[in-house]
Amino acid sequence: QVQLGESGGGSVQAGGSLRLSCAGSGYTLSEYCVGWFRQAPGKEREGVAIIGRDGSPIYANSDKKDRFTISKDNVQNTLFLQIINLKPEDTATYYCAARGPRLVGCNFASRFNYWGQGTQVTVSS
């Protein structure tokens, strides 16, 4: 049974930074496409960043590419998301997700079959 658990969220002021972690069990991270998504109150869930089995990151847009860094540690089975220069509009619940094992396709349109419970990020101005 694949289980994902996010941590590292919190309340920060605009301009601050956070590092989110997603610890996984029941799977081998290197065999999965994994990523971060977020959902703000009253809005649809959106993709933030994903990283393929080969370690290549994909960011949802240029703003996220500038301020978000996705990385993973295959040995620790942990996914990370570093966020700098946080903005109030980054306030959301952040979820990690995994697609696999060894499924074809790793992009924001792909179906991710495992999800964590989310960690809250609140940014005040």
Side-chain angles (χ1 to χ4, degrees):
Q1 179 75 13
V2 177
Q3 292 186 321
L4 304 175
E6 302 93 338
S7 61
S11 297
V12 297
Q13 290 190 327
S17 62
L18 282 174
R19 189 189 196 208
L20 308 184
S21 299
C22 174
S25 62
Y27 80 139
T28 301
L29 179 55
S30 60
E31 297 182 343
Y32 285 72
C33 164
V34 288
W36 290 94
F37 297 76
R38 69 183 186 183
Q39 187 167 20
K43 295 187 177 181
E44 292 188 356
R45 186 174 63 200
E46 65 170 348
V48 175
I50 57 178
I51 190 165
R53 288 184 280 144
D54 64 356
S56 300
I58 303 173
Y59 296 94
N61 55 45
S62 58
D63 174 66
K64 291 182 176 66
K65 186 176 182 180
D66 289 343
R67 299 189 298 115
F68 294 73
T69 302
I70 187 171
S71 62
K72 64 176 181 172
D73 184 327
N74 286 334
V75 175
Q76 295 188 8
N77 256 16
T78 303
L79 179 68
F80 302 100
L81 184 69
Q82 178 76 40
I83 317 172
I84 64 171
N85 191 21
L86 278 154
K87 304 176 181 180
E89 50 264 43
D90 293 321
T91 295
T93 301
Y94 284 71
Y95 300 90
C96 63
R99 167 178 168 80
R102 299 181 302 278
L103 296 178
V104 175
C106 183
N107 54 64
F108 290 105
S110 301
R111 178 180 176 274
F112 285 76
N113 43 339
Y114 299 102
W115 292 84
Q117 294 299 307
T119 185
Q120 178 67 36
V121 173
T122 303
V123 185
S124 57
S125 57

